[in-house]
Amino acid sequence: MGVNKGIVYLIGAGPGDPGLITVKGLECIKKADVIIYDRLASPRLLNQRRPGAECIFVGKQPDRHTLTQEGINQLLVEKAKAGLTVARLKGGDPFVFGRGGEEAEELVRHGIPFEIIPGITSAVAVPAYAGIPITHREYTSSFAVVTGNEDPAKEISKIDWAKISTGIGTLVFLMGMGNLAAITSKLIEHGRAPETPVALIRWGTRPEQQTLVGNLGNISRLAVEKGFKNPAVIVVGEVVTLRSKLRWYENKPLFGKKIIVTRSREQANPLSQAIADLGGEPVEFPTISIAEPEDYAPLDRAIANISLYDWLIFTSVNGVTYFFNRLRTLNYDIRDLAEIRICAIGPQTAEALQSMMLKVDYIPAEYQAEEIIKGLKDKIKPKSRILLARADIARKVLPKGLAGLGATVDEVIAYRTVTGEGNSYLIRQMLEQGEIDLITFTSSSTVQNFFAKLKTSNPVSLLGCTRVACIGPITAGTAKEMGLTVDIQAKEYTINGLLEAIMEYYSQCPLI
């Protein structure tokens, strides 16, 4: 392609659920210099971008456009001519009412290389998430996808209403809520029975998905009564009756819940993915970030004298990661730990150690510093030397308690916890509008930084009816000190324990 020549990937981002993007589409996002995205592309996909990638929103809404289509075309050309790799994220599939053809034609006119990355169209995926198969051998063997934003009253239509009304089993209309009454009237006028089942599916494949079922004769009235608006998919046909048996998405335990994840961006994915798998919508707001120590000298000295230690204690997965990265950097390896006993604060930290073929000698029954002190009381001999490699802001309970047992404790900084880069404006707006159901806190620093970033002097007022979930008693204690009510506290102080506590809470209070 030549030096400094840009390329544009026209990517179908799927209908909303970020898990529905294709593998190739995700690969293009990860390598792009600039991502140009619209309203229906999941914001979580942007988290997959490489550091430094530019993100440009060009979303269109029924009542306003951020950029005209001509403006979007010009932007694609401009970025590509600058030698950049451009990921153009479009909801659904770029060639199914996505105007991808027009954008591709513009790129051809300017001699710009491009690729089409097909996406899962909402015409198929959205009904599937509502429990409606658009074909079924006992109901129909044909379906049609029809634009819904063409005015059915215009004299010359590109839609042959007479043929599609009775000649196709399932009809799927996209972008048609504004013309719903006219669409249903046209279908009835051309022979489709008024009793034909119809489903309206709003924000399909997302946790806020809503489905309204009626028939051609009454669905327009029902939509007005329920305030049903775009973006929605209209499904017409007998297959709609299968929804009562096949609905699955709405039955997930966290369906419809918007849950803030305050962990660092590096650690957020397992919790976010678990929330999404359970039907909820994770809203990532990294209040903390993990960074290297400002000075490696204390850790380096400890590693150089590693043979002098009797115990090595880790209180987080981050501690394990940063300690062993430094061990390798200094040209040591696990053989240098042969005579040292190892303690891990909990199962996830232990798993990180075991993945490196290291045996963990002690894990406390409760995953907090106080329990480590209790558990090691009879295992530590007077004058034992202990290396505690952990965060710069960790509580002092552990080194003081171990020293009280007669041990010599060297506490060194393996990593720093710094303020994260979450979108404070967006989170504040969502809280003020009552859009957030739950906030999860996984450490005291996530609690403190959450409210520091939002710059609020009244946390209780800002949260309103939003619930609070904490990973354990220490984190819960910090939240309570700030005046918060802790609604959920994990019995096991792990991410899995936190998820179990959240599911138990909502199973007992499903309407909250």
Side-chain angles (χ1 to χ4, degrees):
M1 290 190 297
V3 179
N4 293 329
K5 194 165 187 181
I7 184 171
V8 176
Y9 295 99
L10 299 175
I11 305 169
D17 181 342
L20 295 181
I21 194 168
T22 63
V23 172
K24 188 169 185 178
L26 190 58
E27 289 173 350
C28 291
I29 291 171
K30 290 179 177 180
K31 69 182 180 182
D33 299 307
V34 57
I35 300 171
I36 299 172
Y37 65 103
D38 68 23
R39 180 173 68 119
L40 300 181
S42 171
R44 286 182 61 205
L45 292 175
L46 301 181
N47 293 339
Q48 301 297 321
R49 68 188 185 278
R50 65 172 184 77
E54 182 184 11
C55 293
I56 303 174
F57 176 65
V58 294
K60 302 175 186 177
Q61 298 190 36
D63 57 341
R64 64 184 182 277
H65 290 182
T66 303
L67 279 182
T68 63
Q69 185 60 54
E70 291 72 20
I72 295 172
N73 294 350
Q74 184 179 349
L75 181 62
L76 293 174
V77 170
E78 174 189 320
K79 294 296 183 181
K81 281 190 172 180
L84 302 176
T85 297
V86 181
R88 169 67 172 115
L89 282 185
K90 304 172 75 66
D93 181 277
F95 278 8
V96 180
F97 302 128
R99 304 190 74 170
E102 297 170 49
E103 294 178 7
E105 285 182 297
E106 187 69 14
L107 297 172
V108 169
R109 273 193 289 271
H110 288 270
I112 293 171
F114 68 92
E115 289 187 22
I116 309 299
I117 314 297
I120 298 176
T121 173
S122 59
V124 173
V126 168
Y129 268 56
I132 302 170
I134 59 174
T135 64
H136 189 290
R137 65 185 303 171
E138 294 181 11
Y139 292 85
T140 181
S141 57
S142 64
F143 73 93
V145 182
V146 187
T147 180
N149 64 7
E150 180 188 274
D151 183 359
K154 73 179 188 181
E155 291 185 14
I156 301 176
S157 172
K158 293 182 180 179
I159 300 172
D160 193 332
W161 292 97
K163 289 182 179 177
I164 71 165
S165 295
T166 57
I168 303 293
T170 303
L171 296 172
V172 180
F173 291 88
L174 304 183
M175 308 166 293
M177 288 303 297
N179 290 324
L180 180 60
I183 290 171
T184 55
S185 295
K186 277 288 188 183
L187 292 174
I188 293 172
E189 176 189 334
H190 287 88
R192 198 77 173 223
E195 298 78 20
T196 303
V198 179
L200 310 179
I201 309 155
R202 187 166 190 260
W203 289 118
T205 79
R206 295 168 47 140
E208 58 264 52
Q209 175 177 301
Q210 296 174 299
T211 304
L212 180 63
V213 175
N215 57 50
L216 282 177
N218 66 16
I219 194 65
S220 293
R221 173 178 57 80
L222 293 175
V224 172
E225 291 174 357
K226 300 292 184 181
F228 229 76
K229 299 177 182 178
N230 273 315
V233 170
I234 303 166
V235 185
V236 179
E238 296 301 322
V239 289
V240 171
T241 61
L242 289 165
R243 169 174 160 76
S244 59
K245 287 193 296 184
L246 302 183
R247 57 187 295 173
W248 60 275
Y249 187 45
E250 295 101 322
N251 295 336
K252 290 196 170 193
L254 296 182
F255 174 75
K257 307 299 181 191
K258 279 190 177 180
I259 301 175
I260 290 180
V261 176
T262 56
R263 301 190 93 195
S264 66
R265 196 175 298 283
E266 300 89 342
Q267 293 180 302
N269 188 60
L271 179 55
S272 294
Q273 189 58 56
I275 290 169
D277 290 343
L278 294 166
E281 180 178 359
V283 180
E284 293 188 0
F285 181 52
T287 60
I288 61 173
S289 184
I290 307 303
E292 294 182 349
E294 292 181 339
D295 181 8
Y296 268 115
L299 179 58
D300 290 352
R301 282 195 298 271
I303 291 174
N305 294 293
I306 197 70
S307 62
L308 301 178
Y309 293 101
D310 301 291
W311 279 87
L312 184 55
I313 299 178
F314 292 101
T315 57
S316 70
V317 173
N318 286 324
V320 174
T321 301
Y322 277 81
F323 176 84
F324 282 96
N325 283 347
R326 196 62 184 172
L327 194 76
R328 282 190 292 271
T329 299
L330 297 177
N331 205 30
Y332 292 84
D333 64 25
I334 61 172
R335 289 173 294 183
D336 294 293
L337 310 179
E339 303 299 322
I340 303 174
R341 302 186 74 185
I342 297 176
C343 169
I345 197 168
Q348 290 172 327
T349 304
E351 186 177 332
L353 290 160
Q354 290 161 353
S355 68
M356 292 182 284
M357 305 304 290
L358 288 167
K359 178 185 175 183
V360 178
D361 298 284
Y362 179 67
I363 305 173
E366 291 187 23
Y367 314 135
Q368 56 184 350
E370 289 82 352
E371 291 300 313
I372 291 179
I373 297 166
K374 288 181 185 177
L376 294 183
K377 184 177 180 181
D378 298 325
K379 301 178 186 298
I380 290 178
K381 300 174 183 177
K383 298 185 179 180
S384 290
R385 292 199 65 174
I386 298 174
L387 177 58
L388 184 57
R390 57 182 190 158
D392 57 330
I393 61 171
R395 294 188 305 140
K396 299 302 179 183
V397 171
L398 186 54
K400 287 182 179 178
L402 294 172
L405 299 178
T408 299
V409 182
D410 289 339
E411 182 184 11
V412 296
I413 296 173
Y415 65 95
R416 290 181 299 129
T417 300
V418 298
T419 303
E421 299 179 354
N423 188 331
S424 303
Y425 173 79
L426 176 63
I427 295 300
R428 175 182 278 278
Q429 189 178 51
M430 295 177 78
L431 286 168
E432 290 174 346
Q433 294 174 359
E435 296 178 11
I436 300 297
D437 297 284
L438 180 70
I439 303 173
T440 61
F441 293 117
T442 54
S443 67
S444 291
S445 57
T446 61
V447 180
Q448 294 158 344
N449 286 9
F450 182 85
F451 293 105
K453 285 179 65 62
L454 293 179
K455 296 183 172 71
T456 179
S457 58
N458 193 342
V460 176
S461 176
L462 180 62
L463 263 58
C465 294
T466 300
R467 285 357 192 222
V468 172
C470 293
I471 200 168
I474 305 301
T475 305
T478 303
K480 290 172 183 176
E481 287 172 7
M482 302 195 74
L484 303 182
T485 298
V486 177
D487 304 280
I488 302 168
Q489 183 178 312
K491 296 174 184 175
E492 179 183 291
Y493 315 148
T494 64
I495 293 303
N496 286 338
L498 181 60
L499 284 165
E500 288 175 8
I502 291 170
M503 286 191 290
E504 181 181 356
Y505 177 79
Y506 280 117
S507 68
Q508 295 172 355
C509 312
L511 299 180
I512 290 178

